[in-house]
Each structure stands twice: as structure tokens, then as C-alpha cells.
Amino acid sequence: MAKEEHLEMNGVVSEVLPDSRYRVTLDNGHELVAYSAGKMRKHHIRILAATRCRWNLSPYDLSKGRITFRHIENKRPVAAAPRRRY
């Protein structure tokens, strides 16, 4: 069981800051500073301004968060390719 439960929020990156930190505006209008999760750094997932992401917030400090997922916009779901018969 987790030590503490995190709050999950969605929002938009409004500014890219140094040291892989980001200024974020949540969907409810709240602003905070967030950093990218370790797996996102490891796999070199790029986060630019105006990118929609999902954040985890600690219930103890609502001014800081961690980016856990980047939503890819304007991309349709991949459908299974039709099988070819030879």
C-alpha cells in the first residue's frame, strides 16, 4: 500500500524552466511548478510549452507536482492493419 495518496490532475504546460522543470496551469486555473518523472527523463520524452499532461500532486504541498503522462494530441488511435493474403 502506498505511503500517501497522490492527487491526479490534468493541465497545460505554460512555460519551460531550466533543470527540466515546468510552469503548469491546471484545468481548474491553479498554477504550479512541476518536474518530469524519472521514466520520462530516462526515455527522453520531450515536453514543450502548450503540451497537455497529467500530474501527480502531493496533498501536503499543492504548489509542486510531478509530470507522469504526456497526452499526444492530433493523433488518431492506431487501428490494426488488414492482413494480407498471398
Side-chain angles (χ1 to χ4, degrees), residues 3-4 11 17 22 24 33 35-36 43 52 55 61 70 82:
K3 181 177 176 181
E4 59 188 43
L17 303 173
Y22 308 93
V24 174
V33 175
Y35 62 92
S36 54
H43 295 291
R52 291 200 54 82
W55 286 271
D61 188 6
R70 181 189 69 174

Side-chain angles (χ1 to χ4, degrees), residues 42-75:
K42 178 181 175 184
H43 295 291
H44 304 288
I45 295 175
R46 295 182 186 243
I47 300 172
L48 304 173
T51 303
R52 291 200 54 82
C53 295
R54 184 182 310 145
W55 286 271
N56 279 348
L57 301 172
S58 171
Y60 301 111
D61 188 6
L62 298 176
S63 66
K64 297 178 184 175
R66 178 176 51 219
I67 299 173
T68 56
F69 184 79
R70 181 189 69 174
H71 294 285
I72 300 172
E73 295 182 15
N74 300 330
K75 188 172 182 179

